[in-house]
Amino acid sequence: MLVLLGIAVVVAGFVARINPLLVILAAAITTGVCAAVAPGVGPAALWAAGVDTLAAFGKAFNDSRYLHVVWLVLPVIGLLERAGMQEKARGLIASVRAATAGRVLLVYLLLRQATAALGLTSLGGHPQMVRPLVAPMAEAAAETRDPALPDRLRFRVRSFAAATDNVGLFFGEDIFIAIGSILLIVGFLQQYGIAVEPLHLALWAIPTAVVAFAIHATRLVLFDRALARAAAGAEEPR
Amino acid sequence: MITLEHVYAVVGLMFAAFAVLSIVDASNPKRLLNAAFWGLLALSLLFGSWLGDLGNGVLVLALVLIGGVGGLGVGRPATTTQEERRESAGRRGAWLFLPALLIPLIAVGGTLLQDHTGLGAALIADRQTTVIALGLGCVIALVAAVAWLRPPLLAPLQEGRKLMDSIGWAALLPQMLASLGAVFVIARVGEVVGGLVADFIPLNGPLLAVTAYCLGMALFTIVMGNAFAAFPVMTAAIGLPFVVQRFGGDVVVVSAIGMLAGFCGTLMTPMAANFNVVPANLLELPDRNAPLNGVIRAQIPTALPLLVANIALMYLLAFR
């Protein structure tokens, strides 16, 4: 039971907004030391358990270095952005003549999920795409339909823009074979002597991806209707 | 034959270059911390196999102290202007996406070649094939992009460093959480949680086991803020012993959909700061400091039905 203190350290650390790297290492050492606690075990033995845990953590860290291979894409992506890839992407999305907030976000959901499934997760994201591009486009579309868009709905449109990025990313990226979560599953099962192929894990992520798209797309269509009703309501004579 | 160690060497050299370029970047007030952080990561990638377990542990401790206490800055190497990028985008068109698309194509193609052809088997090692093919794809795409665009010599490294700096210490997070998971396995945390679950919830059928596993993944992710941290615990506690071993579920289906059930939890928690809190700040939502801010409230009605769908999909697909 005492080993569950490690989980408590994680929760407390995140609540207190301490840097997650520190929290995770502290939780690991806590778990290792707590596992050694028993009647008759002295401070020296607990210190040794702490050192052993650091070594075990170091071994696992070294064994999971494959998670960094994905950063090799950054020089390529950076080079392409330098040559205007983002500007080209923006131009392509802007040329889609779908002037409702829901439809703009629907197109983005499709693009985000499809590119994430190809491993191009860095094509989206909140600082790079949502704030400068997706949210303003959706907001502009909503304003065109309803010039008197109330603040409540304006912030709702922005929230939906961020939510759409997350849904597209989460349920697209797992179709790509070399993404962190797939590699984590492979590494974890390896510790139990179970060998699985990343490609097979990626295949079984597809059904959920389809359902996620269907659910979120339906909500975007319903959101468009809610916006239209609000606009019609505002136009009625008082 | 190309092995994982070769790919590690290339990645390590890239991080070593980031470290050196960080030292001379006067635009970054924390340039020495950045250099030390990326330098230590380069050390891990290049020589990790020779450092010993405790040596690697001390290396992690140093990385955590630099990234968690000192903090990293963001370098701003010289780059092209907005106008130059627009002009280049207009001139080069959609071809700009091609090198980026080469990477996943080579990653998938290389994996298939290794599996099914003699040439592929001779070229790429059969352990961690996908990762090796991904590394190969990046190198080939970079060579192609440089040959086509003819940028200044250091531009790929400088652009890569800028992106790496913007990711910062978070780049270490998945690896840290994977290692925490390993410590949890050694300390049998999963079994303790599994014992608690088994004591309090009767897992006497595949549907109940699948439901408990998926709900556990989502709940634990809400607490931990990350499905990566929940996955080793819940899979060791319920997924492997109950769904897979007792009821005979397919381990690939169970682990793939289990992770996605965890992602439903990520959509509903303020602990997942980079997905749910950062955008609320960036978009200046009035309720951005509330535990359930606008972004999370916009996501919950997608996350809950999707969680139910994951339970149904796992039940239907894992016991075919």
Side-chain angles (χ1 to χ4, degrees):
Chain A
M1 283 301 275
L2 210 51
V3 293
L4 296 183
L5 269 181
I7 298 174
V9 168
V10 174
V11 175
F14 275 104
V15 169
R17 301 202 172 244
I18 298 167
N19 181 289
L21 297 184
L22 293 166
V23 173
I24 292 166
L25 191 58
I29 304 289
T30 306
T31 303
V33 172
C34 285
V37 171
V41 173
L46 291 183
W47 171 258
V51 174
D52 285 349
T53 305
L54 186 64
F57 195 93
K59 179 181 181 341
F61 187 86
N62 194 55
D63 288 343
S64 44
R65 285 178 298 169
Y66 57 84
L67 289 167
H68 292 302
V69 173
V70 74
W71 307 130
L72 269 183
V73 307
L74 294 182
V76 185
I77 297 296
L79 196 57
L80 294 173
E81 285 186 357
R82 192 176 187 279
M85 181 171 66
Q86 280 200 0
E87 284 66 22
K88 185 67 204 168
R90 279 172 213 179
L92 280 183
I93 293 175
S95 69
V96 175
R97 295 198 169 276
T100 71
R103 280 184 216 150
V104 168
L105 293 180
L106 198 59
V107 170
Y108 183 65
L109 178 64
L110 191 64
L111 287 175
R112 181 69 164 138
Q113 213 174 355
T115 52
L118 291 172
L120 306 173
T121 50
S122 51
L123 280 184
H126 299 291
Q128 310 94 312
M129 267 298 202
V130 176
R131 182 191 147 104
L133 194 67
V134 181
M137 274 172 59
E139 213 176 306
E143 271 178 340
T144 314
R145 298 282 168 126
D146 181 3
L149 188 72
D151 272 353
R152 182 179 61 82
L153 289 177
R154 178 186 310 281
F155 292 127
R156 187 80 176 146
V157 170
R158 290 187 192 176
S159 297
F160 256 102
T164 301
D165 186 88
N166 283 337
V167 171
L169 173 68
F170 291 2
F171 301 100
E173 63 171 7
D174 258 29
I175 299 174
F176 185 58
I177 46 183
I179 210 71
S181 49
I182 294 278
L183 300 177
L184 176 69
I185 296 174
V186 173
F188 171 80
L189 292 178
Q190 225 164 39
Q191 292 171 2
Y192 283 83
I194 304 171
V196 297
E197 268 301 308
L199 199 56
H200 297 151
L201 286 168
L203 280 178
W204 289 110
I206 293 176
T208 301
V210 172
V211 176
F213 181 83
I215 292 174
H216 201 68
T218 306
R219 290 192 60 222
L220 289 173
V221 171
L222 293 176
F223 182 49
D224 255 353
R225 290 198 191 153
L227 285 174
R229 268 200 308 275
E235 277 166 17
E236 276 169 19
R238 314 254 146 117
Chain B
M1 184 190 287
I2 305 170
T3 67
L4 202 52
E5 286 292 335
H6 295 132
V7 179
Y8 286 167
V10 175
V11 183
L13 288 174
M14 177 182 80
F15 277 110
F18 289 172
V20 172
L21 292 173
S22 291
I23 295 178
V24 294
D25 184 349
S27 72
N28 180 1
K30 292 190 168 182
R31 58 185 178 275
L32 292 181
L33 287 171
N34 282 46
F37 194 81
W38 302 134
L40 282 172
L41 197 51
L43 184 70
S44 163
L45 284 157
L46 289 169
F47 305 111
S49 302
W50 289 276
L51 290 177
D53 292 347
L54 190 58
N56 275 305
V58 172
L59 185 136
V60 174
L61 190 60
L63 276 168
V64 166
L65 288 176
I66 295 169
V69 180
L72 302 185
V74 178
R76 301 236 170 269
T79 185
T80 46
T81 64
Q82 201 73 35
E83 285 71 35
E84 285 169 326
R85 289 182 181 208
R86 256 187 233 116
E87 183 273 329
S88 163
R91 189 153 43 88
R92 297 192 165 102
W95 291 105
L96 278 168
F97 300 114
L98 190 66
L101 289 173
L102 264 183
I103 298 171
L105 284 180
I106 294 173
V108 174
T111 308
L112 293 175
L113 275 183
Q114 206 283 334
D115 270 355
H116 299 292
T117 68
L119 176 70
L123 190 67
I124 302 174
D126 61 355
R127 283 177 48 83
Q128 296 272 24
T129 306
T130 308
V131 178
I132 298 171
L134 173 72
L136 202 60
C138 292
V139 172
I140 294 172
L142 183 62
V143 170
V146 167
W148 176 42
L149 299 170
R150 306 217 165 255
L153 188 63
L154 282 177
L157 285 170
Q158 292 286 29
E159 297 291 340
R161 176 170 72 92
K162 189 172 65 182
L163 291 170
M164 204 65 233
D165 278 355
S166 69
I167 296 166
W169 56 261
L172 224 52
L173 213 46
Q175 197 184 9
M176 292 290 291
L177 289 164
S179 308
L180 177 63
V183 171
F184 278 4
V185 168
I186 294 170
R188 301 177 180 279
V189 172
E191 284 159 44
V192 175
V193 175
L196 285 177
V197 173
D199 284 351
F200 291 101
I201 308 165
L203 295 176
N204 47 18
L207 182 59
L208 271 175
V210 164
T211 307
Y213 176 47
C214 288
L215 287 182
M217 272 300 298
L219 282 176
F220 213 74
T221 302
I222 288 174
V223 170
M224 304 279 277
N226 194 313
F228 283 25
F231 183 79
V233 174
M234 279 300 148
T235 308
I238 311 176
L240 283 180
F242 291 99
V243 185
V244 173
Q245 279 154 9
R246 186 183 294 180
F247 298 115
D250 180 331
V251 68
V252 174
V253 177
V254 169
S255 41
I257 298 181
M259 181 66 87
L260 295 167
F263 285 1
C264 295
T266 313
L267 290 175
M268 298 190 279
T269 177
M271 298 284 192
N274 43 348
F275 297 113
N276 297 339
V277 180
V278 168
N281 291 339
L282 284 172
L283 297 172
E284 292 159 20
L285 299 184
D287 60 357
R288 55 184 174 267
N289 292 322
L292 290 183
N293 63 40
V295 176
I296 297 173
R297 278 188 287 109
Q299 287 171 168
I300 288 175
T302 297
L304 285 180
L306 193 54
L307 183 56
V308 175
N310 276 320
I311 294 172
L313 284 171
M314 191 187 291
Y315 181 66
L316 291 174
L317 298 174
F319 302 99
R320 284 161 300 145

